[in-house]
Amino acid sequence: MNAILIKLFATALTLSQVTTRPDAIRTQFDPAKDGPAVVQLLRDGCAHMRKAFDIEDINLDDLISTAMEDPKAVAGESKLLHGLDIAELNTSYKQFCKGENPANSPFEARAVIEFYNKAVTDLPDANALKALRLPGATTILDGRGQRFSETFEPNGRRVAVPIGEVPPLVQKAFIAAEDKRFLTHRGIDERGVIRAFIGNLASPGRPQGGSTITQQVVKNLSVGDDVTYERKIREMIVAARAERVMTKPEILGLYLNGIYLGRGAYGVEMASRSYFGKSVKDLNVAEAALLGGMPKGPNFYNPDRYPDRARERRAYVLTRMKEEGAITEAEMNTALAAPLGLAPLERLRQDAGFHFVDHLTREARTLAGLDSLTAGAYTVRSTLNAGLQEATEGILQESLSRYEASTGRARYEGPEANLADAVRRIEAAGAPPAPEPAPAPTPEPKGKKGSKQAKVVKPAGPKPAWQRALETARLPLYDVHWPAAVVLSTGGQGGVRVGLADGRVASLNPGAARGRLAPFDVVRVKVWESKGAPRADLRIRPQVQGAVVVLENRTGRILAMAGGFSYPLSQLNRVTQSVRQPGSTLKPLTYLAALNAGLQPNTLVMDARVTLPPIGGVGDSWSPKNYEGGGGSGPVTLRRGLEHSKNLVTAQLLRGGIAEKAPASLSKVCDIALEAQLYAECERYYPFVLGAQPVRMIDLATFYAAVANEGERPSPYGLESVTQGDKVLYQHADRPLARIGSADRVAFYQLKSLLQGVTQRGTAAALARFSPYVAGKTGTSEDENDAWFSGFTNEITIVAWVGYDNADGRRRTLGRGQTGGHLSVPIFSQVLQAAWANGVAKSPLSGPSPEAKRLIADEPIDLRSGSRVAGGGFMEHFRLSVDGRLAETRFKLVPQEQIYAMRPDSEQDGDAIEGGLPGENPGRMPDEAPDADRYDPFGALFGRPEPRPYARRAQPVPAPEPYWPGARSRSPFGDEDEGIRRPRRRDPDYPFGDDPNY
């Protein structure tokens, strides 16, 4: 039996059942026994269909006779019945529709039954449609309430509305255009099927569908839209069953909310907003008719590209509405004369914040109890600063690329795309030839003396094919903030030339891709102006990764979050979903514990080799070393130890600086870490104080925000509210900040002052010009695997990290000297300035709070030695006891006699000390006080009288001015620590899995 005929008979069997006995549709027949039953069903169906032919005034006998005489007169060039013998179709017609029993019948019941049984296996349940909730497009607003992005599933950009909120006028427009008997048929309109079948035979071209609204719902939302006989069979059965379990309004509601209507919009509400900028309930007659005509072909009748087609289709719908009595003739004529009235085409293309939007989805699930932001059409208010977010991503991407280029690690791995085929298609379709390169941009004054801004002069005439191809290209790295360019020439006398999206042509420095570019390759570039002409440098996607988070100190609001170089390359959010060794950025914990124990910032600590015994007598002793190696520089103040990130000083504090014994000191440091929620568990081994235990970036940022707040810890969040229509589903509740009680306000304020010194004179001295506003700490883990900077102003905390992913179990170094001060401080600096440019306040670091101020005295000291001076010097912040007296702790850890014994022999001969403290390299150090060369840095220790006792000062102390304005980013004291190798741990606080090996 002919294969096409088998499929036609199986389809006819389905149609016979759904039209003659919709309540008893059989989905399985016995091939051996049910042949007669199938024949009877086909005959009953044909009799029913002949009545429908009579109603439609179609003479089926004449049609068949014409087909027999000249099949092309009916079928034309249609492929609908390709491979079918028309004579067999005529014989079959006589057998089932005229009651004859021809001897040469091609019909084989077994073959038809077997095909039918297979086609209807595992039919979808029509009841599922009744309970179906369509996915929606959620609108995400930034912190100012401005639209930032949308998130939706594929084919899910919709705002579903109840059918009761869709005006009857709009409902009638769709019914008139798509299914005029919708309210009366039972899922299948046999007359519509016949009309479409005959129309397709007689008029090859755009095929007519013949499907009812119910069938379209089933096709779109249940059985799929593949063009096969099997799908059509399944569609008809499920549609007939849906009519039994659902009401007509329910079916129409699914249809109107589910249908695609162009401009990326699904459903009438989203389409109404997209085309007309208004809700569906506000549409007029002309607008309703335009939408009602779109399901037939949203692309073919696209009013943006084919306005004449759209008007023609609208006129047809208006005519049908008038025929059905939905509108009057006057209303029809008015609508026919109306302009299309389209709102500007808004291409809301999100190109930033993808990691943040993912984070919002997780917060919505955890905090608001929503399974997904795309489960419905919600409005989400976020904390995001949109301008800062985009700037942060651009800064991170540029910094990572520059790092690999500067270290020779950049590897060109090919273009992002090649548009050669697209250009050929455009040119073959009659695209005009490319014009000459654009003339040089004309400089215009920017308003500031000496500064000029290039005015972009677009080339005249039609766009060249390469530019049109670039406009429509879908590039994989859609969130990379370098512009895309098309390679137009690969060398020769003019060098490498690229075309930019605005039509200009620029010369390109190909860098690592030299000799490897092909015509019409799409590459990423950095554009700049040289002598009025555009020039471009190639940008290569780096292998190194990085992350940045910006947190509001007093609220915990996440203002910006860059979770990696590019979201399409890696969806892992390194701000919240991975842990890395923090290195020296964790040292402030130890200093906080020491300050809380009563040490002062001028307390002397030996920067010398130290060995701490095993904890509890188990394991090995611990002997750390400084970043630069060596045996240390002798006694330094607590302040200088942190400013210059001395590992040995940090370790020495465990030996009597916090508690009497090192294990007890470590416990106190761990207590602070746990209360600050840096960790869920603290690994109690000594290298912990140097940052050997991995931490999440978001938790580190929260701790530094707590330092800025004098110990009040915010809870980071990105989700402000979720609403659906007028219903508020979630609203972030403002709560008092949690107090870290393991250290008091005085200790936190003193630590803030020490961290400000890091940016003035220490390992982050590259930030010296910002130091009145900024405090923070650099960090570098073992073998330079991680480079950090964590810093804060009064308003925000910024944490930046650079490193290679190590999910494959291999740790990769950034290279010797690639420290937090070298890599992450510049990122912080640029993000900080971007924050100020995007509305974050810029204010000098505040003095102590009233609670802390009562227990603080400010006195001038020699910055290097920590000794008191009579006037001038550095204004230090000292803790007072409850009786208002200042406890002298300068020699608590290093006895005065020990320091005197370390006095150099040259000093005993009366020569001035120029080499600084014992053990340091000769020469004046960059953080000396201005008059350090003129007096003994150890003051009274070597004969100079002590100044008068400390006097308590009540006034706030302004941020000290930097003593080293030309400071380098690394100091001669040794920059960062070398963390200690430890096995990776399972972090029980990690919310996305129990083994984050990143």
Side-chain angles (χ1 to χ4, degrees):
M1 185 175 179
N2 182 282
I4 296 298
L5 200 59
I6 292 174
K7 295 177 181 180
L8 282 175
F9 272 118
T11 305
L13 175 62
T14 307
L15 188 59
S16 297
Q17 292 192 85
V18 299
T19 54
T20 62
R21 55 192 73 183
D23 297 338
I25 299 173
R26 291 183 61 178
T27 55
Q28 287 293 309
F29 291 93
D30 187 331
K33 300 179 180 179
D34 288 335
V38 167
V39 169
Q40 187 59 49
L41 280 171
L42 289 172
R43 286 176 171 169
D44 292 345
C46 191
H48 180 86
M49 297 299 285
R50 285 181 66 86
K51 294 179 181 178
F53 271 81
D54 293 339
I55 295 173
E56 289 293 316
D57 196 23
I58 296 174
N59 191 316
L60 188 58
D61 292 335
D62 289 347
L63 181 68
I64 294 296
S65 298
T66 302
M68 282 295 296
E69 294 172 1
D70 183 8
K72 286 189 177 182
V74 175
E77 301 299 324
S78 174
K79 296 182 179 179
L80 182 66
L81 302 178
H82 182 71
L84 178 66
D85 186 340
I86 296 296
E88 289 185 345
L89 182 61
N90 185 36
T91 302
S92 300
Y93 168 69
K94 293 178 180 179
Q95 179 179 358
F96 293 103
C97 296
K98 306 198 74 173
E100 300 180 9
N101 292 303
N104 59 341
S105 171
F107 178 75
E108 296 177 13
R110 174 181 288 274
V112 173
I113 290 174
E114 288 175 348
F115 180 85
Y116 175 84
N117 287 349
K118 184 177 180 181
V120 298
T121 301
D122 297 326
L123 275 176
D125 185 1
N127 287 286
L129 287 171
K130 186 177 180 65
L132 182 64
R133 295 295 178 266
L134 295 172
T138 288
T139 300
I140 296 175
L141 309 178
D142 63 17
R144 297 185 303 165
Q146 300 297 312
R147 193 177 183 190
F148 174 71
S149 72
E150 290 179 342
T151 180
F152 48 86
E153 296 177 6
N155 304 333
R157 185 174 177 260
R158 67 170 52 81
V159 177
V161 292
I163 186 62
E165 295 182 13
V166 180
L169 181 70
V170 176
Q171 298 182 34
K172 291 176 181 178
F174 280 88
I175 291 173
E178 290 293 306
D179 188 1
K180 67 179 182 180
R181 281 184 285 274
F182 170 70
L183 297 177
T184 58
H185 66 61
R186 292 183 290 181
I188 307 297
D189 181 7
E190 53 267 47
R191 282 176 285 179
V193 171
I194 293 168
R195 188 171 60 253
F197 182 78
I198 300 302
N200 288 333
L201 286 176
S203 302
R206 287 183 57 80
Q208 299 182 33
S211 294
T212 64
I213 283 177
T214 310
Q215 286 178 271
Q216 292 183 57
V217 168
V218 171
K219 177 183 71 174
N220 294 333
L221 304 177
S222 183
V223 301
D225 59 356
D226 53 309
V227 184
T228 63
Y229 284 92
E230 291 90 335
R231 190 268 297 169
K232 198 67 178 179
I233 290 170
R234 296 163 67 84
E235 174 191 299
M236 286 192 289
I237 295 176
V238 177
R241 290 176 173 176
E243 289 275 349
R244 295 180 59 203
V245 298
M246 298 175 68
T247 65
K248 290 289 186 179
E250 287 175 333
I251 295 171
L252 185 60
L254 273 180
Y255 175 75
L256 293 179
N257 281 305
I259 194 71
Y260 178 66
L261 296 170
R263 278 198 176 186
Y266 288 80
V268 290
E269 177 65 21
M270 181 62 80
S272 180
R273 297 181 187 184
S274 299
Y275 282 111
F276 307 114
K278 62 176 73 172
S279 173
V280 66
K281 66 179 183 294
D282 299 320
L283 294 180
N284 59 35
V285 173
E287 293 163 346
L290 180 67
L291 291 189
M294 295 303 291
K296 184 175 178 64
N299 294 322
F300 186 82
Y301 296 109
N302 183 336
D304 299 303
R305 299 184 63 185
Y306 310 111
D308 291 340
R309 293 181 187 174
R311 290 189 187 92
E312 181 182 348
R313 180 63 179 168
R314 183 183 68 174
Y316 166 77
V317 177
L318 288 169
T319 302
R320 289 287 307 116
M321 293 175 70
K322 194 272 182 182
E323 292 173 355
E324 296 297 320
I327 57 175
T328 65
E329 185 170 355
E331 289 174 321
M332 179 186 71
N333 292 332
T334 300
L336 285 171
L340 292 179
L342 301 176
L345 179 60
E346 179 183 349
R347 297 190 182 276
L348 182 64
R349 180 175 179 267
Q350 180 185 348
D351 56 7
F354 290 93
H355 285 107
F356 179 78
V357 171
D358 267 5
H359 181 71
L360 283 182
T361 300
R362 291 189 292 272
E363 282 199 350
R365 184 165 51 246
T366 303
L367 303 176
L370 301 177
D371 291 336
S372 169
L373 285 182
T374 60
Y378 307 110
T379 299
V380 172
R381 178 76 176 261
S382 75
T383 61
L384 195 72
N385 183 317
L388 178 57
Q389 174 67 34
E390 185 170 350
T392 297
E393 291 184 11
I395 290 165
L396 179 64
Q397 290 166 359
E398 178 71 8
S399 299
L400 298 180
S401 180
R402 283 177 176 265
Y403 154 73
E404 286 203 341
S406 66
T407 57
R409 297 188 177 196
R411 296 290 182 269
Y412 179 70
E413 297 180 353
E416 196 164 338
N418 185 279
L419 302 180
D421 291 341
V423 169
R424 281 193 291 269
R425 284 195 300 269
I426 292 173
E427 291 176 342
E436 294 297 319
T442 303
E444 283 189 347
K446 192 177 180 181
K448 201 172 183 181
K449 186 177 180 181
S451 65
K452 293 183 179 180
Q453 183 179 19
K455 179 181 179 181
V456 175
V457 180
K458 296 183 179 180
K463 294 180 180 179
W466 62 261
Q467 187 181 6
R468 295 172 60 189
L470 181 59
E471 288 175 345
T472 58
R474 293 181 177 273
L475 301 179
L477 300 186
Y478 45 77
D479 65 343
V480 171
H481 296 279
W482 299 307
V486 181
V487 176
L488 302 181
S489 65
T490 58
Q493 187 175 0
V496 181
R497 309 279 284 176
V498 293
L500 306 177
D502 58 15
R504 293 180 297 162
V505 175
S507 61
L508 174 71
N509 174 14
R514 190 176 303 277
R516 300 179 60 189
L517 297 174
F520 303 116
D521 277 351
V522 178
V523 294
R524 298 286 181 169
V525 298
K526 182 81 170 179
V527 181
W528 50 286
E529 300 291 332
S530 176
K531 299 179 180 180
R535 302 182 70 85
D537 291 328
L538 185 73
R539 286 293 179 262
I540 296 175
R541 172 173 64 86
Q543 298 299 312
V544 71
Q545 277 291 352
V548 180
V549 65
V550 183
L551 193 69
E552 200 169 66
N553 294 337
R554 298 301 305 177
T555 64
R557 298 170 73 241
I558 299 171
L559 302 184
M561 173 187 284
F565 171 76
S566 172
Y567 181 83
L569 290 175
S570 172
Q571 289 75 56
L572 175 71
N573 188 338
R574 293 157 186 83
V575 173
T576 62
Q577 293 178 303
S578 67
V579 292
R580 299 291 295 225
Q581 287 184 341
S584 294
T585 55
L586 203 71
K587 285 179 180 174
L589 274 177
T590 302
Y591 284 78
L592 180 62
L595 293 167
N596 194 67
L599 297 189
Q600 304 281 22
N602 73 332
T603 300
L604 293 172
V605 187
M606 287 300 296
D607 179 20
R609 295 187 184 279
V610 60
T611 297
L612 299 179
I615 298 175
V618 179
D620 299 327
S621 300
W622 184 51
S623 300
K625 59 183 179 179
N626 284 334
Y627 178 79
E628 299 291 352
S633 56
V636 298
T637 63
L638 197 69
R639 172 179 287 279
R640 285 163 57 85
L642 183 58
E643 289 179 354
H644 299 291
S645 200
K646 297 286 192 175
N647 289 350
L648 296 178
V649 171
T650 306
Q652 291 277 8
L653 288 174
L654 296 179
R655 195 169 61 174
I658 301 170
E660 184 176 352
K661 300 293 185 181
S665 295
L666 178 61
S667 291
K668 289 185 178 295
V669 176
C670 277
D671 290 342
I672 298 176
L674 294 175
E675 189 178 2
Q677 294 192 11
L678 275 164
Y679 302 99
E681 291 183 358
C682 177
E683 296 188 4
R684 298 179 186 271
Y685 66 111
Y686 295 127
F688 170 82
V689 300
L690 300 184
Q693 181 172 345
V695 68
R696 287 198 307 162
M697 176 183 283
I698 192 70
D699 298 327
L700 193 64
T702 305
F703 170 69
Y704 275 81
V707 177
N709 297 337
E710 281 190 10
E712 294 183 337
R713 178 183 56 79
S715 295
Y717 73 98
L719 187 66
E720 290 280 14
S721 64
V722 181
T723 58
Q724 190 172 37
D726 296 329
K727 184 178 180 181
V728 178
L729 303 180
Y730 171 78
Q731 180 68 53
H732 176 79
D734 292 329
R735 298 183 180 88
L737 301 184
R739 172 117 217 115
I740 300 176
S742 299
D744 64 8
R745 287 184 176 272
V746 174
F748 273 106
Y749 180 71
Q750 289 178 312
L751 177 60
K752 182 169 76 170
S753 175
L754 266 59
L755 292 173
Q756 187 178 23
V758 174
T759 66
Q760 290 173 314
R761 298 166 297 277
T763 56
L767 296 171
R769 65 191 177 108
F770 300 130
S771 63
Y773 312 96
V774 173
K777 184 69 187 73
T778 53
T780 309
S781 68
E782 177 191 15
D783 295 332
E784 288 93 355
N785 288 319
D786 305 274
W788 296 83
F789 185 77
S790 300
F792 57 84
T793 67
N794 288 329
E795 293 76 25
I796 59 173
T797 291
I798 303 171
V799 179
W801 166 82
V802 176
Y804 287 95
D805 284 340
N806 53 22
D808 58 1
R810 295 182 301 169
R811 304 189 66 190
R812 185 176 176 186
T813 179
L814 293 164
R816 186 63 176 170
Q818 303 296 333
T819 63
H822 185 68
L823 293 180
S824 296
V825 164
I827 296 175
F828 173 91
S829 173
Q830 295 174 75
V831 173
L832 175 66
Q833 295 175 78
W836 287 337
N838 283 278
V840 175
K842 181 180 180 181
S843 60
L845 283 177
S846 59
S849 64
E851 298 90 336
K853 186 176 177 182
R854 293 192 295 268
L855 297 174
I856 290 178
D858 302 317
E859 290 294 335
I861 65 167
D862 172 69
L863 189 58
R864 291 182 59 242
S865 68
S867 62
R868 294 172 292 170
V869 295
F874 177 84
M875 196 65 70
E876 188 59 272
H877 312 295
F878 291 94
R879 176 190 293 274
L880 295 177
S881 62
V882 291
D883 60 2
R885 298 176 62 85
L886 188 151
E888 177 60 70
T889 65
R890 185 169 170 236
F891 300 110
K892 180 176 180 180
L893 300 183
V894 184
Q896 182 174 344
E897 296 79 8
Q898 181 180 348
I899 294 180
Y900 187 85
M902 296 173 64
R903 180 184 180 189
D905 292 339
S906 59
E907 175 63 10
Q908 295 174 0
D909 294 335
D911 297 331
I913 295 180
E914 298 237 352
L917 301 182
E920 292 181 340
N921 293 328
R924 179 178 171 184
M925 306 314 297
D927 60 351
E928 289 176 345
D931 56 349
D933 291 339
R934 298 195 299 272
Y935 64 88
D936 180 354
F938 285 92
L941 292 182
F942 302 130
R944 185 170 299 278
E946 289 279 355
R948 295 176 61 188
Y950 286 62
R952 180 172 176 172
R953 299 172 185 258
Q955 71 276 15
V957 179
E961 292 296 324
Y963 281 86
W964 186 23
R968 294 169 293 169
S969 62
R970 288 181 55 206
S971 83
F973 290 95
D975 185 0
E976 305 293 337
D977 64 283
E978 269 195 47
I980 305 302
R981 289 189 184 275
R982 297 289 297 185
R984 302 295 291 183
R985 73 183 184 89
R986 291 181 179 271
D987 185 353
D989 196 36
Y990 188 71
F992 306 102
D994 62 355
D995 193 14
N997 292 317
Y998 294 96

